Amino acid sequence: MRAGQPVTIRDVAQRAGVSSATVSLVLNNVADSRVSAATAERVRAAASELAYAPNLVARGLRRRRTNTIAVLSDEIATTPFASRMIGAIQDVAMRNGLLVFMVNTAGDPETERSAVVAFNQQQVDGFVYACLYHRVVDLPPGLGSNVVVLDGRTRRPRFPAVVPDDRGGARAAVTELLAHGHRRIGFVNDYSATVAADLRLKGYRDALREHGVRFDKRAVRNAEPGLEPSAEAAVRLHEDAGVTALFCFNDRVAIGAYHGLRRHGLAVPRDVSVVGFDDQEFVADYADPPLTTVALPHYAMGQWAAEELIERINGGTDQPRVCEMPCELVRRGSVGPPRADGT
Amino acid sequence: MRAGQPVTIRDVAQRAGVSSATVSLVLNNVADSRVSAATAERVRAAASELAYAPNLVARGLRRRRTNTIAVLSDEIATTPFASRMIGAIQDVAMRNGLLVFMVNTAGDPETERSAVVAFNQQQVDGFVYACLYHRVVDLPPGLGSNVVVLDGRTRRPRFPAVVPDDRGGARAAVTELLAHGHRRIGFVNDYSATVAADLRLKGYRDALREHGVRFDKRAVRNAEPGLEPSAEAAVRLHEDAGVTALFCFNDRVAIGAYHGLRRHGLAVPRDVSVVGFDDQEFVADYADPPLTTVALPHYAMGQWAAEELIERINGGTDQPRVCEMPCELVRRGSVGPPRADGT
DNA sequence: CTGAAAGCGCTTACAG
DNA sequence: CTGAAAGCGCTTACAG
């Protein structure tokens, strides 16, 4: 042990007057190593006096297990969405003594490939493949079997995955509107045909059917990205299709609807009730009036993914389980009864 | 090379009919290793045929350099704010062949300490200490000298740090209001006495002074967190102090102001102009009307921090430079001239 | 009960 | 020009 050099196991061994093998056995609490209590005590004392902390790189090389995982994400780690997914993964990892690498690939297949290679070179124990929104993904090659898909699923269910129950969430949203007496309920859906768009439409229809309301395709519109298209769709649904309530693909669409309605002198929820989806922080809660919406269970999904991955790493299972996480309705101020005059 | 086992340098050596030392020299392009062109070619061919990728854990152990960095953050990685800071760090890291560990410590000193220990055991080459908002921090012990503070600074300038120029940004915001003819300009500041709050107040006063407008402390109010206190403060400033324009500590305060003003039948910007701070995505741009605000240079700050850290790791400098990143005004729709009648 | 030895997969002086 | 050897800091059978 030279000054300025890190403390190694040999320094501890020397100070305790034993071999480094013995130090390793003691500090790792190896079960069937019959080290005498006195020796063990000396070792622990020496380690603590020197503030010894094992070099994890050396350990990783030797054990062929690094206690690290990599989170690959399209944009998620650098986007305001779903940061709770990342938070959950980190919480679980920390509780389990894992360190987490994070990279965002911007969804670029080439970047994904090279990231997978790099992390495999780094000998990570497993991967979480995280998506920005619920969709079907093609996993890059080389991920091995210790991988969990987060907020997405593979075409064939060969890998474990956790996704939100979009259909159930949409059903809950529309049921809330029905429960307030609405019968003409519009749906402003996302323009691109994602899994989420498809499932939320199904949930919308489920709720209508359960309440004996006939599905009318004129009450459904798709809005391209941005506020304006959503504003436009909302106004048209109210004025042309006569809806008294709107279910929106997400909170941002709902905010677009707010803008359009306000411009037309229509108040939420007095004239039109609105429900969103996502429960996006600072969007749903900061809307005026605060938006009733369906919460995406980001934290719970991240937690599930991390725990599932750890179980696989530990050899606990290799079943490709798929988890559908329930989505709760969050009631705020954007839903009321339809106007008495029915307009 | 056994089936199913990873390819090692020995496999490549064997296939090329050379020693592993030679393989290492060739693949690392070691300058003064006079390997014959023919041998080098054989080695490269063998490596490529076997799709050899060096084990970075072994390399890290040997070289005492892991090409990894750790980002320690209070909440940032898991919060909608400032995810662009993280994105920038990752971009720079990827360009430089570094892998990045990420952890959020929730600002808890105990968690911070143990994270630092863990990452040191993992032999990371350096740290970025990232803050959620511009503040003075006490760094946890053990970070060594390869550390850069992001969006914060230490009490004494012993470490490199990058922070936004809050004062200049505030000055630009208030100057914008003055340029539109406002003379009674209120400031809704943050309740807690942070660096940001202090500097933004200074910038507010700078702008007034430059335009010969007397500072009036009745035009300044502090708002506690949440929409309501900001709404209240905005209304009081307009009705009691007679301000025609508001500079808000951040976009969320501005949204609170919007709510309060609207409830009192006041329109933005017709009755009251508003400027925010942060340019928070989906808050400033989704406000109605879209909010004129000052952008926090998150990407640029993250980039600076990562590049500075890499330079330190490479021994390029050990000066504790502090960078003040300019904050640009983003003009949207919330600023207009004061009402002609002066109310 | 404990130590000597081998080895994880690399890199780097050193010898020839 | 190239190989044998040592060593980074651990862990793990194995011998005694």
Side-chain angles (χ1 to χ4, degrees), chain B residues 293-336:
Chain B
T293 187
V294 178
L296 243 18
H298 284 130
Y299 192 90
M301 292 196 297
Q303 196 171 23
W304 191 93
E307 283 167 355
E308 183 75 6
L309 178 60
I310 290 170
E311 194 176 338
R312 291 175 84 84
I313 290 172
N314 293 333
T317 180
D318 58 353
Q319 296 301 308
R321 290 190 274 239
V322 171
C323 171
E324 267 198 356
M325 204 61 85
C327 301
E328 303 272 336
L329 183 74
V330 179
R331 291 186 175 84
R332 295 206 177 86
S334 59
V335 175

Side-chain angles (χ1 to χ4, degrees), chain B residues 17-101:
Chain B
V18 297
S19 72
S20 60
T22 300
V23 174
S24 175
L25 294 174
V26 170
L27 297 185
N28 285 304
N29 294 309
V30 175
D32 57 346
S33 78
R34 288 162 300 177
V35 179
S36 74
T39 306
E41 202 34 65
R42 278 213 319 288
V43 168
R44 277 188 238 283
S48 127
E49 283 156 25
L50 297 175
Y52 169 68
N55 180 323
L56 298 181
V57 174
R59 173 183 286 175
L61 177 60
R62 179 58 230 241
R63 283 195 184 159
R64 299 158 155 288
R65 201 331 180 151
T66 54
N67 282 309
T68 60
I69 60 174
V71 177
L72 251 50
S73 65
D74 32 18
E75 285 286 341
I76 202 178
T78 60
T79 230
F81 298 109
S83 43
R84 279 167 299 173
M85 296 205 306
I86 302 298
I89 295 173
Q90 293 194 341
D91 289 350
V92 173
M94 178 167 295
R95 273 201 296 280
N96 288 273
L98 298 179
L99 264 20
V100 3
F101 284 109

Side-chain angles (χ1 to χ4, degrees), chain B residues 144-319:
Chain B
S145 62
N146 288 339
V147 55
V148 176
V149 183
L150 171 52
D151 203 6
R153 62 172 93 205
T154 50
R155 216 166 294 281
R156 289 187 299 171
R158 294 200 306 139
F159 297 96
V162 53
V163 294
D165 176 14
D166 285 291
R167 185 169 181 167
R171 180 173 160 277
V174 177
T175 298
E176 174 77 357
L177 293 169
L178 289 158
H180 277 78
H182 294 278
R183 285 300 173 271
R184 294 286 302 162
I185 299 173
F187 179 26
V188 185
N189 202 356
D190 196 32
Y191 187 77
S192 51
T194 59
V195 176
D198 180 50
L199 290 174
R200 293 178 194 177
L201 176 59
K202 288 203 170 81
Y204 165 79
R205 300 187 64 159
D206 288 345
L208 294 182
R209 189 181 326 108
E210 285 161 18
H211 286 73
V213 176
R214 225 175 115 252
F215 171 74
D216 176 358
K217 68 174 196 281
R218 285 168 310 172
V220 178
R221 280 175 172 266
N222 301 318
E224 305 216 23
L227 253 16
E228 262 327 298
S230 296
E232 169 85 7
V235 170
R236 300 289 292 273
L237 283 173
H238 177 70
E239 301 198 336
D240 300 354
V243 310
T244 61
L246 287 169
F247 170 47
C248 296
F249 173 72
N250 64 22
D251 294 344
R252 286 172 290 146
V253 167
I255 296 304
Y258 272 42
H259 286 213
L261 296 171
R262 179 176 299 145
R263 271 204 306 266
H264 281 68
L266 267 7
V268 175
R270 196 197 55 199
D271 301 307
V272 179
S273 288
V274 177
V275 181
F277 211 112
D278 284 2
D279 193 23
Q280 192 177 338
E281 196 178 7
F282 304 125
V283 174
D285 50 346
Y286 273 51
D288 189 9
L291 182 65
T292 292
T293 187
V294 178
L296 243 18
H298 284 130
Y299 192 90
M301 292 196 297
Q303 196 171 23
W304 191 93
E307 283 167 355
E308 183 75 6
L309 178 60
I310 290 170
E311 194 176 338
R312 291 175 84 84
I313 290 172
N314 293 333
T317 180
D318 58 353
Q319 296 301 308

Side-chain angles (χ1 to χ4, degrees), chain A residues 143-228:
Chain A
L143 287 172
S145 63
N146 287 340
V147 55
V148 176
V149 183
L150 173 52
D151 203 7
R153 62 173 92 205
T154 51
R155 217 164 294 279
R156 289 187 297 172
R158 294 200 307 140
F159 296 96
V162 53
V163 293
D165 177 14
D166 285 292
R167 184 169 184 167
R171 180 173 161 276
V174 177
T175 298
E176 174 76 358
L177 293 168
L178 289 158
H180 277 77
H182 295 277
R183 285 301 173 271
R184 294 285 302 162
I185 299 174
F187 179 27
V188 185
N189 202 357
D190 195 33
Y191 187 77
S192 52
T194 59
V195 176
D198 180 52
L199 290 173
R200 291 178 196 179
L201 177 59
K202 287 204 169 81
Y204 165 78
R205 300 187 64 158
D206 289 345
L208 294 182
R209 189 180 327 107
E210 285 162 19
H211 286 74
V213 176
R214 222 172 118 253
F215 172 74
D216 176 358
K217 67 174 195 281
R218 285 168 310 172
V220 177
R221 280 176 171 265
N222 300 319
E224 304 216 25
L227 252 17
E228 262 327 297

Side-chain angles (χ1 to χ4, degrees), chain A residues 54 56 90 104 121 262 288, chain B residues 54 56 90 104 121 262 288:
Chain A
L56 297 180
Q90 293 194 341
N104 63 307
Q121 290 187 255
R262 178 176 299 145
D288 188 9
Chain B
L56 298 181
Q90 293 194 341
N104 63 308
Q121 289 188 255
R262 179 176 299 145
D288 189 9

